Amino acid sequence: MSFWQKIIQYRWDQIEAAISSKTAEDVRQALRAPTRNFDDLLALLAPVAADFLEEMALAAHGLTVQRFGRTIQMFAPVYVSNECINFCVYCGFNRHNQISRATLSVAEVEKEVMFLHGQGFRHVLLLTGESPHHVPVEYLIRIARKLRPLLASISIEIYPMATDDYRRLIENGVDGLTVYQETYHLKRYAEVHPAGPKRNYRWRLETPDRGGQAGFRRLNIGVLLGLCDWRVEGAYVGLHAAYLARSYWQSHVSVSFPRLRPAAGGFQPQFPVNDAHMVQLMCALRLWLPDAGLVLSTREPASLRENLLPLGITQMSAGSKTAPGGYVAKENVEGQFEISDLRSPQEVVRMIAAHGYEPVWKDWDAVFLR
Amino acid sequence: MTQLPPLIIADRTFHSRLLVGTGKFASTQIMQKAIAASGAEIVTVALRRVDLSDPQDNFMEAIDRDRYLFLPNTSGARDAEEAMRLARIARAAGCDPWVKLEVTPDPHYLLPDPVETLKAAEILVKEGFKVLPYINADPVLAKRLEEVGTVTVMPLGAPIGTNRGLKTRDAIQIIIQQAQVPVVVDAGLGAPSHAAEAMEMGADAVLVNTAIATAGDPVGMAEAFRLGVEAGFKAYISGLGRHSWEAEASSPLTGFLRNNHA
């Protein structure tokens, strides 16, 4: 059993139709329900729910404070390579793009992480493009072993791997896996991934399954907002998260909200997602998944991040660089996309505190994994 | 006013029967004030949140270890091995050999694993730890833990963070009746009245975190819980009137029988 068997029972057009048919009364019912079913999620994603944003926000805020308290867990991305053999039309690392490419040495990665450590970070997310030749699993294992003594938690956002490779990474201190499906729409997925190994929708869709089977403690999923209708994507990502939490009951599931940003290649989103949509999506998913982590990166501008903070966010990055070596190790290497919130971690932390939240730098310990 | 009897856990005496947790607060300052207002003498801290190797760690610094028993907990541990590793590291870093044992393999409801908890408790007790295990309200498990030498049992009232009160009331009542170690009701208490209810039933103490940390005014709520615990305990030792299900009719329905025989 994988999410593939589950998702084929849900047709895109049927979900789309169900969402558009929801009424204000359906939204009211969804808001009142003590536990919510899939139809409630669809109602909260519906166009009519736009009139209930304040109610949704209040409910989402209340649930999040109860479950997570007034805390925001801090993390930083560390890009270790921008080599890539894929052709994702929206991504700066697209193989066609004539950009300067680099893969950091283990020592350079350590240098980047030392810098982040000095800023206070103890949770990092290692990122790469897809290039098993430049970034084999053995290289990631060497990095994990090197970083382990410095960090409380190491997560990865890399190309999909087989279960056994994930097991090896976990054995060497990697505890979290992030992988975005980008879009759950099969045809759209094929359009934006015209070639390369990423074209395999099912292999990517089942990546969190393989991660759960390998034993990652954290599974993080998401869709790239802007590729397709965010309402239907929200329903699928909600289903996927609920499925993962049920199947891999010892792993904590979280959802990210990456919205398309300008990048090399100049791709324009065909389904733009505005701020009100972001709020609705985030609140709907919080009400559907009271215990899930919700992650917001520096893709979003500072002011919006402040306003989204109390609506259900549990994890934030700050001061991010999206180029390998971008913190200190290298100069003039291309990033994956443009950062919007350019504030330093210290400034972000002050903002979080000013909103009555405690920034949490350490909420895990390397000691959990052997 | 008569002095209320103290709470004795292992070899230590406490005058407060409210234990508090340190998660979910909006800032360290608010946490410190709330702990002070709660009157608690035992403060539990998740080891995953602290850096034991850093003497200037925010959390460690914030809790005056001369004033409070710093009770490390193993929150996040998914099996006995992980919990034991955390406990040993805390002791090696200079913490008192006390540990609130939490083995919660599911990260969503954070419900305790009875099998792994018992396994870890037995080994940690042998290693000299004072073990305070967090458990579901399971009377048989409570007795088994007592037998392996834990210094309390800590049954939950409802899942952590739910504020739902004593959903496990009947099982907790049995645990209290059978226990030979202090029973600390842990998790799920959302209001001072819930804490008072647990104390009125005969619990020895309660542990509260979410309801205080996430209140509009955590300091005020901490004080309210202190008062709730005190009121409930005082009511318990003063001897509560028994509930009676039957109304005692002033003119009994069968009174005529007696009248006839009079």
Side-chain angles (χ1 to χ4, degrees):
Chain A
M1 176 76 186
S2 79
F3 189 58
W4 175 257
Q5 273 89 38
K6 178 110 181 152
I7 199 175
I8 51 180
Q9 301 164 29
Y10 293 85
R11 280 183 43 193
W12 184 281
D13 52 347
Q14 284 174 349
I15 291 183
E16 199 172 25
I19 289 175
S20 350
S21 72
K22 295 294 177 194
T23 64
E25 188 44 38
D26 294 331
V27 180
R28 277 187 213 103
Q29 254 185 34
L31 277 166
R32 276 197 303 265
T35 56
R36 298 184 176 89
N37 60 29
F38 189 53
D39 266 305
D40 293 325
L41 171 63
L42 299 185
L44 296 171
L45 292 166
V48 282
D51 296 336
F52 296 86
L53 276 193
E54 186 58 26
E55 288 93 329
M56 286 173 68
L58 277 170
H61 170 72
L63 264 181
T64 311
V65 168
Q66 188 194 324
R67 175 62 177 79
F68 294 90
R70 295 177 198 280
T71 63
I72 296 287
Q73 201 252 298
M74 306 296 297
F75 74 97
V78 179
Y79 280 75
V80 301
S81 172
N82 61 0
E83 298 286 351
C84 197
I85 53 173
N86 282 314
F87 297 86
C88 316
V89 297
Y90 48 79
C91 180
F93 293 169
N94 183 320
R95 188 172 180 170
H96 281 315
N97 291 338
Q98 297 295 314
I99 58 168
S100 55
R101 308 262 177 183
T103 299
L104 301 185
S105 67
V106 174
E108 284 171 328
V109 177
E110 192 187 13
K111 207 169 151 193
E112 295 277 277
V113 169
M114 283 304 291
F115 172 77
L116 293 167
H117 189 277
Q119 293 185 318
F121 289 104
R122 296 294 181 273
H123 291 226
V124 306
L125 173 65
L126 300 175
L127 296 98
T128 67
E130 177 152 8
S131 182
H133 170 71
H134 292 95
V135 184
V137 65
E138 289 74 20
Y139 161 80
L140 291 163
I141 288 171
R142 282 201 303 279
I143 291 178
R145 294 171 84 102
K146 191 64 153 182
L147 299 183
R148 213 174 170 179
L150 289 171
L151 297 170
S153 167
I154 304 171
S155 297
I156 48 171
E157 184 175 347
I158 60 175
Y159 56 94
M161 283 183 175
T163 314
D164 278 340
D165 286 338
Y166 285 145
R167 285 209 182 92
R168 292 174 67 198
L169 288 168
I170 294 167
E171 279 162 17
N172 287 285
V174 179
D175 54 73
L177 173 69
T178 291
V179 60
Y180 303 149
Q181 186 60 26
E182 319 297 11
T183 173
Y184 286 89
H185 190 284
L186 256 169
K187 196 162 152 265
R188 185 76 183 133
Y189 185 91
E191 282 166 15
V192 296
H193 305 107
K198 192 163 173 180
R199 203 171 154 75
N200 188 337
Y201 178 99
R202 182 169 172 180
W203 175 248
R204 191 167 188 89
L205 187 78
E206 291 177 336
T207 303
D209 277 286
R210 294 192 300 278
Q213 284 152 13
F216 280 110
R217 307 301 282 262
R218 267 170 283 282
L219 297 172
N220 177 215
I221 60 172
V223 290
L224 191 51
L225 297 168
L227 291 183
C228 208
D229 181 350
W230 65 270
R231 298 179 200 275
V232 190
E233 300 274 29
Y236 279 106
V237 83
L239 270 181
H240 200 171
Y243 159 84
L244 291 171
R246 189 177 279 241
S247 304
Y248 309 104
W249 62 281
Q250 300 195 345
S251 304
H252 189 235
V253 175
S254 55
V255 178
S256 294
F257 299 89
R259 187 154 54 156
L260 267 170
R261 294 283 308 149
F267 178 79
Q268 290 303 316
Q270 273 178 282
F271 297 84
V273 174
N274 68 29
D275 291 354
H277 297 154
M278 279 287 273
V279 168
Q280 188 180 344
L281 176 61
M282 208 168 270
C283 293
L285 284 172
R286 166 56 72 224
L287 296 176
W288 165 247
L289 306 161
D291 297 310
L294 300 185
V295 186
L296 193 63
S297 80
T298 54
R299 281 172 186 265
E300 297 303 330
S303 60
L304 182 66
R305 294 223 300 166
E306 290 194 29
N307 291 322
L308 293 178
L309 177 76
L311 302 186
I313 298 302
T314 59
Q315 292 162 53
M316 267 193 179
S317 51
S320 306
K321 306 284 183 210
T322 70
Y327 294 109
V328 284
K330 278 207 186 312
E331 278 173 16
N332 304 321
V333 179
E334 211 84 26
Q336 189 185 20
F337 54 86
E338 286 175 22
I339 292 300
S340 185
D341 182 349
L342 297 166
R343 295 172 298 178
S344 70
Q346 278 57 43
E347 288 173 284
V348 173
V349 157
R350 273 198 297 277
M351 175 278 284
I352 291 171
H355 281 75
Y357 282 72
E358 161 133 66
V360 173
W361 297 97
K362 178 178 181 296
D363 191 27
W364 193 246
D365 203 292
V367 111
F368 282 108
L369 299 179
R370 197 175 273 289
Chain B
M1 188 180 131
T2 51
Q3 187 79 39
L4 294 172
L7 168 68
I8 297 169
I9 302 177
D11 47 1
R12 288 184 65 157
T13 302
F14 304 94
H15 296 283
S16 162
R17 288 173 180 266
L18 173 59
L19 288 68
V20 292
T22 51
K24 301 186 178 180
F25 282 96
S27 72
T28 317
Q29 293 73 17
I30 294 173
M31 177 185 85
Q32 283 173 312
K33 284 187 196 153
I35 293 172
S38 74
E41 293 164 285
I42 304 177
V43 177
T44 187
V45 174
L47 287 165
R48 61 193 278 182
R49 281 288 300 274
V50 299
D51 184 353
L52 291 165
S53 61
D54 176 4
Q56 263 145 43
D57 182 86
N58 222 345
F59 252 62
M60 304 283 278
E61 270 206 325
I63 295 156
D64 179 352
R65 286 154 83 175
D66 294 326
R67 183 168 166 196
Y68 303 108
L69 172 64
F70 181 92
L71 179 62
N73 71 60
T74 61
S75 140
R78 141 162 124 170
D79 56 29
E81 275 299 317
E82 292 181 2
M84 291 189 294
R85 226 179 294 147
L86 278 167
R88 290 169 189 147
I89 282 171
R91 180 159 72 174
C95 294
D96 290 321
W98 287 57
V99 62
K100 178 168 182 260
L101 179 59
E102 296 184 26
V103 185
T104 52
D106 102 81
H108 299 100
Y109 292 97
L110 302 170
L111 290 168
D113 181 327
V115 180
E116 297 294 314
T117 302
L118 182 59
K119 208 191 289 178
E122 188 164 11
I123 296 169
L124 289 172
V125 168
K126 283 189 186 141
E127 292 179 7
F129 281 94
K130 312 285 184 220
V131 179
L132 296 81
Y134 169 57
I135 56 170
N136 212 314
D138 177 342
V140 175
L141 177 64
K143 291 307 283 182
R144 294 285 304 266
L145 284 161
E146 192 181 290
E147 281 169 10
V148 303
T150 64
V151 296
T152 63
V153 288
M154 305 184 72
L156 57 85
I160 289 180
T162 57
N163 292 336
R164 296 176 62 185
L166 289 175
K167 293 293 167 195
T168 56
R169 188 186 161 95
D170 293 355
I172 286 181
Q173 190 71 71
I174 298 171
I175 293 173
I176 291 169
Q177 275 163 11
Q178 296 183 330
Q180 289 174 298
V181 292
V183 177
V184 183
V185 176
D186 182 3
L189 304 180
S193 56
H194 298 152
E197 184 185 355
M199 298 307 293
E200 286 169 9
M201 285 167 63
D204 295 280
V206 300
L207 189 147
V208 179
N209 183 3
T210 299
I212 294 174
T214 66
D217 171 13
V219 180
M221 190 58 78
E223 193 186 1
F225 267 96
R226 175 174 69 75
L227 296 169
V229 169
E230 282 175 13
F233 185 56
K234 181 132 185 145
Y236 173 72
I237 59 166
S238 305
L240 280 169
R242 280 187 178 276
H243 286 281
S244 175
W245 287 105
E246 302 84 22
E248 295 187 0
S250 46
S251 313
L253 298 177
T254 53
F256 70 96
L257 295 173
R258 263 171 281 154
N259 291 340
N260 285 350
H261 288 94

